[in-house]
Amino acid sequence: MTHAHVTGPTTPLTLSLVVPVFNEVESIDLFIARISEVFRSETQVAVDIVFINDGSTDGTLELLLERQQHDPRLTILDLSRNFGKEAALTAGLQYAAGQVVVPIDVDLQDPPEVILQMIALWREGFEVVLGHRVSRDSDSWAKQVSANGFYRLHNRIAEQKLPENVGDFRLMDRCVVQALQSLPESRRFMKGLFAWVGFRTTYVDYVRP
Ligand code: UDP
Ligand code: MG
């Protein structure tokens, strides 16, 4: 697939954030406030947020619907039950209309400021900008050991290597989202599919709080 950038640094840009939420009633207002703050002075970036309610039972949907009344940036998808983050992300990507799309966790472990750096690299012509965690210190010892083991094993046996310490937090150009949507897989391992589709890729380092 080919792609040519027709925008320059001062051209307005539409950005869709894709945010799966499962019982996150405590996090949603903080998340929206932080996004507003980060993009307040970015007059060239129009942000919208696609929330995917992944079968929450704690009032997450009701809160989102209430916030949407006063916030035209919000789109809400409501899944019929809890399908898990991967499926929720896949559903959300179909509704992400922006020129660039960023999946992000609602708990702010993926710092939204990093998206500004990602956009700068996209403006230089990259189609995928990965968020690369420089330290797993905030994860438990068990998670660090199991994640390291998983990547080592996967990359020994798989033809398409997974970049390490990279999660779903990344910027994707529209053309990349379209390529992902053309894949027939229904039970998706998103990190694997992201790696498989390729494209002009770079990364930004960040520390998880
Ligand atoms: N999430 C979801 N469905 C699930 C589990 C999690 O949509 O079944 C959402 C969750 O609300 C959050 C994101 O996926 O916005 C990441 O979840 P979590 O922070 O628990 O994952 P981790 O940080 O351990 O990767
Ligand atoms: Mg988290």
Side-chain angles (χ1 to χ4, degrees), residues 124-209:
E124 286 176 20
F126 290 100
E127 293 156 332
V128 177
V129 186
L130 306 171
H132 177 253
R133 294 189 297 269
V134 290
S135 147
R136 277 193 174 266
D137 286 353
S138 69
D139 283 348
S140 68
W141 178 81
K143 172 121 188 194
Q144 290 183 45
V145 170
S146 66
N148 285 340
F150 170 78
Y151 282 106
R152 211 175 306 131
L153 177 65
H154 180 281
N155 288 344
R156 185 147 14 107
I157 59 183
E159 196 176 312
Q160 194 63 50
K161 309 301 176 204
L162 289 177
E164 285 195 44
N165 293 326
V166 162
D168 297 314
F169 183 43
R170 64 195 49 223
L171 177 147
M172 291 177 281
D173 185 88
R174 176 95 252 132
C175 68
V176 180
V177 177
Q178 269 156 7
L180 280 175
Q181 278 163 358
S182 71
L183 300 177
E185 278 79 1
S186 63
R187 304 201 57 152
R188 289 168 167 238
F189 175 57
M190 293 302 280
K191 289 185 183 87
L193 295 179
F194 284 149
W196 187 84
V197 293
F199 292 98
R200 292 190 60 192
T201 303
T202 188
Y203 64 90
V204 290
D205 287 330
Y206 75 100
V207 181
R208 278 206 140 185

Side-chain angles (χ1 to χ4, degrees), residues 73-89:
R73 299 172 301 174
L74 308 194
T75 299
I76 303 167
L77 276 186
D78 185 33
L79 304 187
S80 57
R81 64 167 168 85
N82 179 247
F83 284 91
K85 183 185 174 181
E86 311 270 328
L89 256 183

Side-chain angles (χ1 to χ4, degrees), residues 11-58:
T11 323
L13 163 69
T14 52
L15 161 69
S16 296
L17 304 179
V18 179
V19 193
V21 282
F22 176 56
N23 293 344
E24 296 284 5
V25 76
E26 306 289 342
S27 308
I28 284 162
D29 282 338
L30 285 170
F31 176 82
I32 295 174
R34 180 83 169 272
I35 295 299
S36 301
E37 190 187 310
V38 167
F39 288 95
R40 181 160 296 134
S41 55
E42 301 296 318
T43 53
Q44 299 305 315
V45 183
V47 187
D48 67 85
I49 309 177
V50 180
F51 281 109
I52 308 94
N53 178 42
D54 187 20
S56 299
T57 53
D58 71 341

Side-chain angles (χ1 to χ4, degrees), residues 3-12 99 122-123 125 173:
H3 175 69
H5 278 291
V6 288
T7 57
T10 55
T11 323
Q99 240 172 311
W122 176 82
R123 291 198 191 277
D173 185 88

